[in-house]
Amino acid sequence: MSTRFDTKIAVLLREDLEPWQRLNVTAFLVSGLGTQLPELIGEPYEDADQVSYLPMFRQPVLVFQGTKETLKAAHTRALSRALPRAVFTSDLFATGHDEANRAAVRAVGTSDLDLVGLSVHGPRNAVDKVLKGARMHP
């Protein structure tokens, strides 16, 4: 049985990223949503031998890709709609820890961020509008 959710979790990646970068950026971006939106997280898992596992998102994470321009436009639309979001900039590939990551983002103005990834959560129609021009990741 398929469930249709009223909200959407989406990640938008810049299309020119290397495969390892796509995976790394996606993992970082979705971690931010889970910390600020606890209602997105389900219950812990347990296997048949009663071994416990961490809870995960209650709904799918849809991954999209687009050009640098598509990403910039999506970021602008996410900001204008005040949707919960996380960003990953190209500068973060050269940093080695969380404090350096935050400093790298803080050093650049909003319109000058060299975005390589964006995650967003919100009502389905609002997220769809944010992602206009992006396509599903293959």
Side-chain angles (χ1 to χ4, degrees):
M1 180 174 122
S2 178
T3 302
R4 181 168 165 89
F5 295 93
D6 293 336
T7 62
K8 186 181 272 189
I9 300 170
V11 173
L12 175 56
L13 302 171
R14 203 165 74 192
E15 64 188 4
D16 61 349
L17 295 179
E18 295 293 326
W20 73 267
Q21 292 173 317
R22 290 170 184 258
L23 296 170
N24 185 266
V25 170
T26 299
F28 270 93
L29 288 172
V30 297
S31 70
L33 293 175
T35 63
Q36 294 300 304
L37 302 163
E39 66 274 14
L40 292 179
I41 306 297
E43 295 297 319
Y45 286 73
E46 185 176 277
D47 65 25
D49 295 321
Q50 297 181 329
V51 174
S52 298
Y53 302 94
L54 294 171
M56 297 184 282
F57 287 128
R58 298 174 56 236
Q59 67 187 87
V61 175
L62 303 173
V63 182
F64 296 82
Q65 67 179 9
T67 63
K68 184 175 186 172
E69 295 75 23
T70 301
L71 199 57
K72 187 174 186 73
H75 180 244
T76 299
R77 290 189 291 264
L79 291 173
S80 73
R81 288 172 172 75
L83 294 176
R85 68 221 164 254
V87 295
F88 198 104
T89 67
S90 63
D91 297 328
L92 303 187
F93 291 125
T95 60
H97 55 85
D98 187 52
E99 186 177 326
N101 288 350
R102 288 193 314 277
V105 173
R106 190 180 313 111
V108 180
T110 305
S111 62
D112 295 323
L113 292 171
D114 186 14
L115 298 169
V116 298
L118 169 74
S119 66
V120 63
H121 173 263
R124 292 182 65 83
N125 61 346
V127 172
D128 288 343
K129 287 177 183 173
V130 165
L131 297 173
K132 183 179 178 187
R135 60 192 182 285
M136 287 295 289
H137 190 280

